Amino acid sequence: MSEALTQGLAKEGEILYNLERLTRASAEYLYANGGMTGLRGYLSYEEEGIYKCVYWNGAYDNLGIVYTFSSGNPEISGNLDIDSHERKLTEKEQLLYDIKMEALLYIKSDPIFKAPEGTQLSLSFVEDKKWIKGYVRPITGDTSFIPLGNDYVFFYTKKGELDYYTQLHPFARISNIQAPDEQGKVVTIQTLSDKKRPYLLPTEICNLLLYSSQKELHVHFLITETYISTYSLKDKSLSIQLNVDADK
């Protein structure tokens, strides 16, 4: 497995995590300050290392951004810049808005998209050099487990044209996380039979960071027939090695 691919997966997982942290922090602020009235939707994205979450009101032909939340590090609680001046969508925001509305229609209409019991599906966007990727993953308010897999991805061109979408890994419910072992680590293991994507994905990295209650100690393994993925939540580091025991 190439180092570039490995680091790319880890980076996209961290971006998804930061987007979710910012989205939750901005929603909490609005609820606490009575700012949700009249809002019609939101969009979060990353741009040049800054994470942004915008909220709009109005209909499609008269959209207006009424709140802009931004942060360089949403993991730090309270690290929010808040702008409540009304403005038009930027060109980038308009593009992502159009993509989001289209992707949501597919999610609602195609039976491939299913949310396991106790979860719902969340859509977030990450860009690389070629694609705007719409990652779909399960989220939950239940703190007794970490939802992994049951994820999907949309591939859009930089012009906002849909190339295709597909399901990724099957659902895995990581629960009953044990106390630290003799080395002081909390270890969780996910097994998978997937020849197309036999490694940990950004959606899973995001949910590990989001739902683990012991990030400083937690190390997660995903084991397939070909690779073993190891993710350290403390360091936000991913390694993917050949499974040398696969043929034994």
Side-chain angles (χ1 to χ4, degrees):
M1 181 66 62
S2 73
E3 183 66 16
L5 175 59
T6 300
Q7 296 306 315
L9 294 169
K11 180 61 177 177
E12 289 191 2
E14 191 174 347
I15 289 173
L16 289 174
Y17 169 62
N18 283 325
L19 290 174
E20 183 67 24
R21 291 279 305 206
L22 178 60
T23 299
R24 294 189 178 197
S26 62
E28 288 174 1
Y29 173 88
L30 291 173
Y31 278 117
N33 292 276
M36 281 294 187
T37 304
L39 299 183
R40 296 295 184 87
Y42 73 92
L43 176 71
S44 57
Y45 62 95
E46 183 265 345
E47 187 174 43
E48 297 182 352
I50 301 298
Y51 296 89
K52 298 182 180 180
C53 186
V54 299
Y55 291 79
W56 62 79
N57 60 12
Y60 176 79
D61 58 352
N62 190 32
L63 287 177
I65 299 297
V66 291
Y67 288 102
T68 303
F69 295 86
S70 57
S71 175
N73 186 1
E75 192 169 21
I76 300 176
S77 179
N79 185 23
L80 280 178
D81 290 326
I82 305 168
D83 186 348
S84 58
H85 293 90
E86 292 194 32
R87 62 175 177 83
K88 294 182 179 179
L89 279 74
T90 65
E91 184 176 345
K92 179 185 181 72
E93 289 167 349
Q94 185 66 60
L95 175 65
L96 291 177
Y97 171 86
D98 292 338
I99 290 174
K100 181 175 183 177
M101 294 302 106
E102 182 182 76
L104 289 176
L105 287 176
Y106 282 111
I107 292 171
K108 292 178 180 179
S109 62
D110 192 331
I112 187 178
F113 296 98
K114 297 179 180 179
E117 183 178 356
T119 72
Q120 61 188 71
L121 298 180
S122 178
L123 171 67
S124 302
F125 294 99
V126 175
E127 293 188 57
D128 63 18
K129 293 181 179 180
K130 183 177 181 181
W131 302 106
I132 300 174
K133 301 176 186 177
Y135 281 112
V136 181
R137 59 188 172 78
I139 60 174
T140 182
D142 189 341
T143 59
S144 66
F145 72 100
I146 300 174
L148 301 178
N150 197 77
D151 41 6
Y152 312 81
V153 63
F154 290 84
F155 284 90
Y156 282 90
T157 69
K158 294 291 188 172
K159 295 182 179 180
E161 300 164 341
L162 178 63
D163 191 72
Y164 72 99
Y165 61 88
T166 185
Q167 186 171 11
L168 299 172
H169 287 167
F171 184 61
R173 183 185 180 107
I174 304 297
S175 56
N176 299 321
I177 297 176
Q178 298 179 356
D181 61 17
E182 294 179 355
Q183 284 74 43
K185 294 181 180 179
V186 173
V187 175
T188 52
I189 298 174
Q190 177 186 1
T191 58
L192 181 69
S193 177
D194 187 336
K195 294 183 179 180
K196 290 184 178 180
R197 301 174 188 86
Y199 39 77
L200 199 66
L201 294 175
T203 46
E204 294 161 326
I205 290 172
C206 171
N207 277 11
L208 285 165
L209 291 169
L210 192 63
Y211 293 107
S212 174
S213 60
Q214 303 180 77
K215 285 193 282 289
E216 288 298 305
L217 306 175
H218 194 161
V219 178
H220 182 75
F221 294 89
L222 186 146
I223 301 173
T224 71
E225 295 177 356
T226 50
Y227 293 105
I228 298 177
S229 302
T230 306
Y231 187 74
S232 167
L233 279 69
K234 177 181 180 180
D235 303 324
K236 294 187 177 67
S237 63
L238 174 67
S239 66
I240 304 175
Q241 306 294 331
L242 283 172
N243 186 351
V244 295
D245 295 325
D247 296 328
K248 293 183 180 179

